[in-house]
Amino acid sequence: MSLVVGQSLGLTLTGDGVSLRNSRRNGGKSKFLLVNRRRFARAALVQARPMEDGAAAIPSPPSRAATAPVVQYRRAELADDLQAEARALGRAVDASIYSPELIARKHGSQPLKALRRSVEILAALGGFALKLGIDQRQGKLEQKMKQRAGELRRIFTRLGPTFVKLGQGLSTRPDLCPPDYLEELAELQDALPTFPDAEAFACIERELDLSLESIFSSVSPEPIAAASLGQVYKAQLRYSGQVVAVKVQRPGIEEAIGLDFYLIRGVGKLINKYADFITTDVLALIDEFACRVYQELNYVQEAQNARRFKKLYADKADVLVPDIFWDYTSRKVLTMEWVEGTKLNEQVAIESQGLKVLDLVNTGIQCSLRQLLEYGFFHADPHPGNLLATPDGKLAFLDFGMMSETPEEARFAIIGHVVHLVNRDYEAMARDYYALKFLSPDVDVTPIVPALRDFFDDALNYTVSELNFKTLVDGLGAVFYQYPFNVPAYYALILRSLTVLEGLALYADPNFKVLAASYPYFAKRLLTDPNPYLRDALIELLFKDGKFRWNRLENLLQQGSKDRDFSAKDALQPVLKLLLDPNGEELRLLVIKEAVRVSEAMALGTVVDTYNSMPEFLRSLVFNGNGNGPLTMNATELESTLELRDQVSRIWGLLQSSESFDPAILQPIVQVLQQPEARRLGGRVAGGVGQRLAARFLQQLLRATTPSSSPVT
């Protein structure tokens, strides 16, 4: 590998690359970069051409467990990893935590500095507010909303990292911003000017207490990416030859962000005090958002987020999460495994590798749903730059600075909310907003119900596969904006996540719908999750007015079977356990009634099939000379009975078609059925079936003797 070397920097060219002479070392710490940054600005380890992943690896030191059994080696490896993580945590022990009191004390004692920044912010935002006032006076507020939203995005970009982050946060808040502003602010990117390489390299040495050349055998000549909080270099570890991404925090960023939030909080106090038309607690939102931004400033926290995310979601073969190098990670430096990949919005480049964007988007949707509804820990910033398609077809997640969590209660409430939506139960939907913490308990939901009905009655004229997710989110956003909703950050962020994924898919397929891709997951959870809340939601979905909706069950099984984790075994047993619960008498009455109907349908269907398979002369002989048919039922009743029989048969076929289906799964069910309550239930069903068939047989005899009867086949 050829390298550009500046002799004035004290560099020596070797066969393996470049090394820095150690004459500048003092007490084991590098002083050169701090003393002479300008001379070092060309970078110590500068590549003339990009590194290749296939670069020859430098063997790592022999492991203590090299000759030990694999299990022992893995234990030692895990122990080493935990120790390295502990050392990284030690390097971040002085990481700042957001405290309104501390930033007020610090920046309140620097009035001139605060005044200069206030003037800068007011000059930018004051002019914008003046334009809004003129638009309102001229009656052009709605007409110019799109234009003003674009201006606000550009103002936030000019004001720097805090306002870029603030704009990105606002882009997820449909309860605070009109749709035009949401769409425009969502375009805010972290692309900001880079800072000098010398400062970045000095930060690495200072944070890790190691010289640059002792860590890396080479470093990219310039950052490969620059974001609002830091910039990223591509490097090669000296000890192993592994290619890594090294993120270095922007100098002075914590000071700048602290000052900005100090000033923004002052504005928030004024809004809470005087802007009565804003029902949301603005100060609480500012504090919540500031807390998240401060967490992003601690790169050890980001590393822990990445490790947790990998543990929860990278168990799927098509999801990739880069690993962390703890020994080279600190509060301001993060070293991760380098991931070769293509941004998810670069469709041509992805498809030139033989990959399909839609497959990757589906992977992203399924992973997002698991994040939201299973474990509750999710990636809160899934823009295209943080989602890569790897050459082997995996979806790689990057940048774990901004994460969020869904409370357990809310996870189940969201699924229940979907059930209420499918049932068009708008009163229940409105009440769900209490459980989801969208509304305080003292808010009356009565006026909200008509707004939900007006929007969803129109939206649900489409099938699930036709409904556009962005249209749904925009419509909900309009409702949230009109009423006193306070949308929790986790909900707003996951809506944004799914909207981004749908937007990426639409480039590849204009007909793609994220709801259609999500429905199999919801169906699987409803059918297989033993959680009592979801069991109740399933019953609510399947029973209406005392009748079982077999078409709903069939649809759930069809959709659920599309999910690769669907298990017929899991779909059967929880239902039976719920049915046999001591408190399940009401459900048992419904099931007994339906079981009698199904048993009768199967029996009568068998009679009809037998009759139709007989030769003509046997039909008349067996059925007492009646050659017109075995049953004297009206056509509508017979059609309904046979349709029920066919639906149940199709449902059984769907269960059998599951990859996980095995007749052995019926054994635990048989064991459940041996319980006393199950035997009593079976007796009640058998009694009901006997009575129904006896009544049907008597009816047949009576009709057969009536000349005016009209047999039906």
Side-chain angles (χ1 to χ4, degrees):
M1 178 179 294
S2 61
L3 299 170
V4 178
V5 183
Q7 293 183 353
S8 62
L9 303 179
L11 306 180
T12 302
L13 183 63
T14 69
D16 294 327
V18 173
S19 65
L20 277 72
R21 291 197 295 269
N22 292 326
S23 59
R24 56 186 172 84
R25 309 293 289 172
N26 181 14
K29 295 186 178 181
S30 171
K31 304 292 185 182
F32 183 84
L33 292 174
L34 298 175
V35 174
N36 202 349
R37 289 179 179 172
R38 180 173 298 177
R39 293 175 62 193
F40 196 78
R42 300 297 294 176
L45 306 171
V46 183
Q47 292 181 198
R49 60 185 176 84
M51 290 177 295
E52 298 178 357
D53 287 343
I58 302 171
S60 56
S63 168
R64 292 174 301 172
T67 59
V70 173
V71 173
Q72 183 179 349
Y73 174 77
R74 287 178 178 171
R75 286 177 180 171
E77 192 177 49
L78 177 60
D80 290 343
D81 188 66
L82 290 173
Q83 291 173 8
E85 182 179 357
R87 290 192 294 270
L89 286 168
R91 287 189 288 272
V93 71
D94 59 343
S96 297
I97 298 175
Y98 175 70
S99 167
E101 295 76 18
L102 288 179
I103 65 169
R105 191 180 310 136
K106 178 178 181 179
H107 297 289
S109 63
Q110 302 173 333
L112 291 179
K113 188 174 182 180
L115 179 61
R116 283 195 298 270
R117 181 59 172 165
S118 297
V119 170
E120 183 182 358
I121 294 171
L122 288 174
L125 296 180
F128 177 76
L130 180 61
K131 290 179 180 179
L132 288 182
I134 294 172
D135 290 344
Q136 187 171 26
R137 174 167 290 189
Q138 294 177 346
K140 296 181 178 179
L141 198 61
E142 294 289 332
Q143 180 183 339
K144 292 192 173 183
M145 187 174 290
K146 183 72 174 177
Q147 176 185 339
R148 298 302 180 217
E151 291 176 8
L152 184 62
R153 175 178 57 81
R154 291 188 288 273
I155 288 171
F156 279 175
T157 301
R158 288 199 304 272
L159 287 175
T162 307
F163 285 85
V164 169
K165 290 291 180 186
L166 181 62
Q168 290 173 335
L170 286 173
S171 73
T172 68
R173 301 304 305 233
D175 54 332
L176 297 179
C177 297
D180 284 335
Y181 281 85
L182 294 176
E183 188 172 338
E184 194 67 38
L185 292 176
E187 298 298 318
L188 273 170
Q189 298 296 322
D190 281 344
L192 293 175
T194 62
F195 58 90
D197 298 330
E199 294 187 38
F201 297 149
C203 179
I204 294 173
E205 292 200 325
R206 186 172 58 251
E207 286 288 310
L208 302 180
D209 198 19
L210 294 168
S211 64
L212 200 67
E213 76 278 6
S214 69
I215 305 172
F216 307 115
S217 57
S218 58
V219 182
S220 57
E222 58 187 17
I224 59 166
S228 56
L229 302 184
Q231 59 194 35
V232 180
Y233 294 86
K234 185 178 182 181
Q236 192 170 35
L237 291 176
R238 179 167 291 281
Y239 88 91
S240 67
Q242 185 159 357
V243 180
V244 294
V246 185
K247 183 157 74 169
V248 186
Q249 194 170 112
R250 191 176 291 273
I253 188 67
E254 186 178 317
E255 179 82 8
I257 285 177
L259 175 58
D260 283 345
F261 277 120
Y262 168 68
L263 299 173
I264 292 170
R265 286 193 91 253
V267 176
K269 289 179 181 178
L270 294 175
I271 292 174
N272 276 358
K273 188 173 182 179
Y274 298 108
D276 295 334
F277 61 92
I278 297 180
T279 58
T280 302
D281 186 347
V282 175
L283 200 60
L285 288 177
I286 292 171
D287 287 340
E288 179 187 7
F289 183 71
C291 185
R292 292 180 185 280
V293 173
Y294 266 73
Q295 287 176 356
E296 284 194 74
L297 291 173
N298 183 357
Y299 285 176
V300 172
Q301 177 65 56
E302 179 174 347
Q304 289 183 309
N305 290 341
R307 179 58 62 86
R308 182 181 175 190
F309 193 91
K310 184 182 183 76
K311 180 180 179 181
L312 292 177
Y313 308 116
D315 58 328
K316 303 301 180 185
D318 48 10
V319 173
L320 174 66
V321 179
D323 211 350
I324 302 297
F325 293 85
W326 293 105
D327 280 330
Y328 308 118
T329 294
S330 72
R331 179 168 63 100
K332 296 183 179 181
V333 177
L334 174 61
T335 304
M336 304 179 76
E337 174 188 359
W338 178 265
V339 177
E340 284 292 346
T342 308
K343 290 183 179 180
L344 214 56
N345 59 350
E346 297 178 3
Q347 180 185 348
V348 175
I350 289 174
E351 294 184 349
S352 67
Q353 302 174 59
L355 305 176
K356 294 182 179 179
V357 172
L358 291 183
D359 290 344
L360 294 158
V361 169
N362 270 313
T363 298
I365 290 170
Q366 299 308 314
C367 188
S368 294
L369 291 170
R370 291 184 70 208
Q371 292 172 51
L372 171 65
L373 299 173
E374 284 186 32
Y375 299 105
F377 182 68
F378 67 91
H379 197 295
D381 191 21
H383 62 73
N386 290 339
L387 299 170
L388 299 182
T390 66
D392 57 353
K394 294 182 180 181
L395 179 65
F397 286 81
L398 306 177
D399 193 353
F400 301 91
M402 186 173 284
M403 308 296 288
S404 189
E405 297 204 40
T406 310
E408 184 176 16
E409 180 185 359
R411 294 178 222 162
F412 300 121
I414 289 170
I415 297 178
H417 195 59
V418 171
V419 171
H420 295 147
L421 173 60
V422 172
N423 284 342
R424 302 195 185 204
D425 187 348
Y426 302 120
E427 288 80 7
M429 282 184 68
R431 291 192 298 271
D432 288 338
Y433 295 130
Y434 294 132
L436 291 168
K437 310 298 184 187
F438 283 26
L439 297 170
S440 60
D442 59 332
V443 174
D444 181 16
V445 297
T446 305
I448 299 172
V449 173
L452 292 173
R453 180 179 291 108
D454 290 344
F455 171 68
F456 283 110
D457 273 348
D458 182 54
L460 292 177
N461 285 331
Y462 301 95
T463 64
V464 171
S465 61
E466 294 172 332
L467 190 57
N468 183 289
F469 188 73
K470 187 178 185 304
T471 301
L472 189 63
V473 172
D474 288 347
L476 272 176
V479 175
F480 292 162
Y481 188 65
Q482 293 171 17
Y483 294 94
F485 282 90
N486 183 19
V487 179
Y490 73 83
Y491 190 82
L493 289 168
I494 203 68
L495 289 182
R496 179 191 176 197
S497 172
L498 293 174
T499 303
V500 167
L501 288 168
E502 181 174 64
L504 292 169
L506 288 175
Y507 285 110
D509 180 5
N511 297 316
F512 181 86
K513 300 294 183 291
V514 72
L515 286 177
S518 304
Y519 197 52
Y521 176 86
F522 279 97
K524 180 202 72 174
R525 285 294 301 276
L526 281 170
L527 287 168
T528 63
D529 198 310
N531 180 273
Y533 188 98
L534 296 187
R535 294 294 89 208
D536 291 343
L538 178 61
I539 292 170
E540 185 178 342
L541 186 66
L542 296 179
F543 285 92
K544 184 178 182 181
D545 300 329
K547 292 184 178 180
F548 190 84
R549 295 187 281 189
W550 289 95
N551 61 321
R552 285 281 175 87
L553 178 58
E554 184 179 0
N555 183 255
L556 283 174
L557 286 168
Q558 285 175 340
Q559 294 295 329
S561 61
K562 295 177 184 177
D563 189 288
R564 62 186 173 191
D565 295 328
F566 175 77
S567 167
K569 176 181 178 180
D570 293 338
L572 290 172
Q573 293 187 58
V575 174
L576 279 173
K577 290 178 181 178
L578 177 67
L579 182 63
L580 302 177
D581 188 274
N583 299 318
E585 178 61 24
E586 185 178 351
L587 175 62
R588 283 193 288 275
L589 290 175
L590 293 173
V591 170
I592 289 168
K593 180 180 177 181
E594 200 60 34
V596 169
R597 283 184 64 230
V598 170
S599 300
E600 181 190 38
M602 301 300 287
L604 296 181
T606 301
V607 171
V608 171
D609 289 344
T610 303
Y611 174 82
N612 290 334
S613 64
M614 286 182 175
E616 189 66 34
F617 75 94
L618 279 180
R619 295 182 186 179
S620 190
L621 179 65
V622 172
F623 293 97
N624 299 322
N626 182 5
N628 293 322
L631 303 173
T632 51
M633 301 171 62
N634 66 61
T636 302
E637 186 182 7
L638 180 59
E639 183 180 353
S640 174
T641 300
L642 295 180
E643 173 58 26
L644 176 60
R645 189 273 308 265
D646 293 342
Q647 270 189 327
V648 173
S649 298
R650 287 197 299 270
I651 287 169
W652 178 245
L654 285 169
L655 289 171
Q656 287 180 303
S657 66
S658 169
E659 291 183 6
S660 61
F661 183 84
D662 185 330
I665 69 172
L666 297 176
Q667 183 177 354
I669 297 175
V670 171
Q671 293 173 356
V672 171
L673 290 175
Q674 291 173 352
Q675 297 176 14
E677 188 60 47
R679 289 197 294 270
R680 285 193 293 271
L681 180 63
R684 292 166 71 181
V685 171
V689 172
Q691 292 175 13
R692 189 75 176 254
L693 290 177
R696 179 74 66 183
F697 180 70
L698 181 60
Q699 187 181 50
Q700 282 294 115
L701 290 177
L702 293 174
R703 287 186 178 179
T705 60
T706 305
S708 60
S709 63
S710 301
V712 179
T713 58

